[in-house]
Amino acid sequence: MITLSLIGIGTGNLDHVTLAAVRALNNADVILLPRKGDAKSDLLDLRRLLCERLLEAPVTTNIVEFDLPSRDDGRDDRNDYLGAVDDWHAAIASVWAQLIDQHLPNGGRVGMLVWGDPSLFDSSLRITQRLSAAGRAVEVDVVPGITSLQVLTAEHRIPLNALAEPIQITTGRRLRERGWPNDAATVAVMLDSGGAFTTLPPEDIYIWWGAYLGMEKQCLIKGWLSDASGEIIQRRARLREQHGWIMDIYLLAKQPLI
C-alpha cells in the first residue's frame, strides 16, 4: 500500500507551514520535489529549504527530485485547453507512478509539497485519482495549507468578502471570457497570465493585488482600478523580467470590504 500525502506548504514562507505539515514531512519515506525549469528554480529552492529546515535529524527520508512534464500552452480554445491540461495530468501521473515503483516497490509513504492548499486551483488531487483509477492501491492523505488568497487579505488587512455578500473565486481566463461574475460583490482572481482586469470597466472597482506573497520579494499594490491598473501592469512586467517568473493574485470589489 502506498500512502500519498499532499502537504500544503502555503506560499513557501517557513512561518506559514503548519505543525501537521511538519509531521507529514517527517513521516514520509520519500519526498518528491518537482523541477520546473531554470525560470522557476526559486520554487525548487524553497522546497529544498523547507525540507532542510523541517526534517528532523537524523534525516532518513529519501528526497527525490524529478523533471515535471511541461504543458502545451498553445491551445486557445477552451476545449483544446482542457484537453491540453488532461494530457499534462496524465503525463505527470505517469512520472509519479514510475518514481513510486522505483523508490517504494514494497509500499510506504510518499510526500508531495503542494503550494498553498491542495484544494484551491491545484491539480494534485486529480492527478492522484489517476493513480487509483489505474488500479494502484493508493491511500490519500491531505494536509491543508495557507493559501495565497489568505495571505493577500492578511497583508492588505482586509476581509475576503463585503458584509453579508458573496464572493467568487475565478481565473484570469474566465474573467476575460465572461467579465464580472453575476451576483458577486467581490471577485478573487488567480492564475492570471497578466492584466485580465483591464477588460473590466475601471470605474467603481477597487483592486488589491499581490505578487510573490509570503516571500522576501513580496510586492503589494492597491487602489481604484482606474488609478492602479497601469502601475500593476508595469510592475508585474518588471518583476517577471527580473525573476524569470511570477505568481500573483488579486481581489476586486465594487463596495468597501470594511
Side-chain angles (χ1 to χ4, degrees), residues 235-251:
R235 182 74 63 84
R236 188 183 192 279
R238 289 199 302 268
L239 289 170
R240 185 182 181 88
E241 181 179 1
Q242 179 182 353
H243 300 294
W245 63 280
I246 192 166
M247 282 185 178
D248 61 338
I249 182 175
Y250 51 90
L251 196 65

Side-chain angles (χ1 to χ4, degrees), residues 3-4 6 24 28 46 81 98 101 103 114 119 122 164 180 195 198 201 237:
T3 299
L4 180 54
L6 302 178
L46 282 170
Y81 168 76
Q98 293 171 21
D101 289 345
H103 296 282
V114 178
S119 70
D122 181 85
W180 191 274
T198 61

Side-chain angles (χ1 to χ4, degrees), residues 179-180 196-206 225-226 252-254:
W180 191 274
F197 51 79
T198 61
T199 63
L200 300 173
E203 296 80 14
D204 302 323
I205 296 178
Y206 203 91
L225 192 56
S226 54
L252 303 166
K254 291 187 174 182

Side-chain angles (χ1 to χ4, degrees), residues 57-201:
V59 177
T60 58
T61 304
N62 186 14
I63 300 175
V64 177
E65 298 182 6
F66 68 98
D67 292 321
L68 192 73
S70 58
R71 191 183 77 194
D72 179 5
D73 290 327
R75 309 186 197 182
D76 295 328
D77 178 83
R78 174 169 170 74
N79 290 330
D80 286 346
Y81 168 76
L82 292 176
V85 172
D86 188 65
D87 292 343
W88 183 46
H89 288 172
I92 296 174
S94 177
V95 172
W96 286 9
Q98 293 171 21
L99 291 170
I100 289 171
D101 289 345
Q102 177 183 350
H103 296 282
L104 290 175
N106 299 316
R109 303 186 69 91
V110 181
M112 299 286 299
L113 279 63
V114 178
W115 287 107
D117 183 90
S119 70
L120 184 58
F121 283 111
D122 181 85
S123 294
S124 299
L125 283 164
R126 297 183 181 90
I127 297 168
T128 302
Q129 179 59 34
R130 288 176 177 270
L131 299 178
S132 299
R136 292 176 175 272
V138 178
E139 180 179 311
V140 182
D141 176 32
V142 178
V143 180
I146 292 176
T147 68
S148 59
L149 186 54
Q150 291 170 285
V151 180
L152 179 74
T153 55
E155 292 297 323
H156 279 294
R157 300 170 182 82
I158 55 172
L160 182 58
N161 63 299
L163 186 63
E165 291 289 347
I167 176 172
Q168 181 160 331
I169 303 174
T170 189
T171 65
R173 177 186 290 267
R174 279 300 183 96
L175 192 67
R176 289 181 184 276
E177 292 175 349
R178 301 188 179 187
W180 191 274
N182 293 332
D183 300 326
T186 307
V187 179
V189 183
M190 305 179 70
L191 304 179
D192 185 359
S193 59
F197 51 79
T198 61
T199 63
L200 300 173

Side-chain angles (χ1 to χ4, degrees), residues 156 207-210 219-223 228 231-232 235:
H156 279 294
I207 185 170
W208 296 264
W209 176 84
C219 180
L220 302 171
I221 297 176
K222 65 179 180 179
E231 180 184 359
I232 293 172
R235 182 74 63 84

